[in-house]
Amino acid sequence: MIDDDYVPGEGDVMPALWWRLPHDVGLAKRWRSSEVPGHPLIAFADEFTSTLRTAGPLYIDLHGYTAWDTTSSTDSVERQFFEALTGAFPGMFSVVVDAGSPTVWLALRLTRLTNPIATAIIDHHDRYLAYRRTSA
């Protein structure tokens, strides 16, 4: 695997840190992977499924909070969230590329979840929701 080797049964018991994350942060299974030389943490959207019954490593799907259009000059809150997480934790997140659009977002292999990353996701999530409430 690109991130880590998959171990059958992975995700049968969720780590305690998972339960700290906001309830609307989802999970996805990576059912296949492709390698991009020189970019080990790039993934393509069609490599993931929300069907958790399939075999494969679990990822925290941050699409709802980090998806942004790479052709846009707008400094969206999603782009800020994306850049804050990748800047604070280089090499930890997979950049997911949507094959049908210029959109990218972040996914995190569940085995890479640490206390500092969970805290950062929670902090950014709270700021994201506050921004959405004030901009509505």
Side-chain angles (χ1 to χ4, degrees), residues 121-133:
I121 290 172
I122 293 165
D123 291 346
H124 287 290
H125 177 267
D126 292 346
R127 278 187 256 151
Y128 176 87
L129 291 180
Y131 172 82
R132 287 290 172 217
R133 280 191 294 272

Side-chain angles (χ1 to χ4, degrees), residues 59-123:
Y59 282 76
I60 297 169
D61 182 4
L62 295 170
H63 179 276
Y65 303 101
T66 63
W68 62 281
D69 180 343
T70 60
T71 63
S72 174
S73 60
T74 304
D75 189 26
S76 67
V77 68
E78 292 83 2
R79 182 176 183 169
Q80 292 171 21
F81 194 170
F82 181 104
E83 290 175 347
L85 290 174
T86 56
F89 306 101
M92 294 299 286
F93 289 88
S94 293
V95 176
V96 183
V97 179
D98 188 349
S101 74
T103 303
V104 296
W105 65 88
L106 296 177
L108 177 71
R109 180 74 188 269
L110 189 60
T111 57
R112 291 176 175 257
L113 183 62
T114 63
N115 193 48
I117 291 174
T119 300
I121 290 172
I122 293 165
D123 291 346

Side-chain angles (χ1 to χ4, degrees), residues 35-47:
E35 290 189 41
V36 179
H39 300 281
L41 295 180
I42 291 180
F44 297 97
D46 65 355
E47 297 173 357

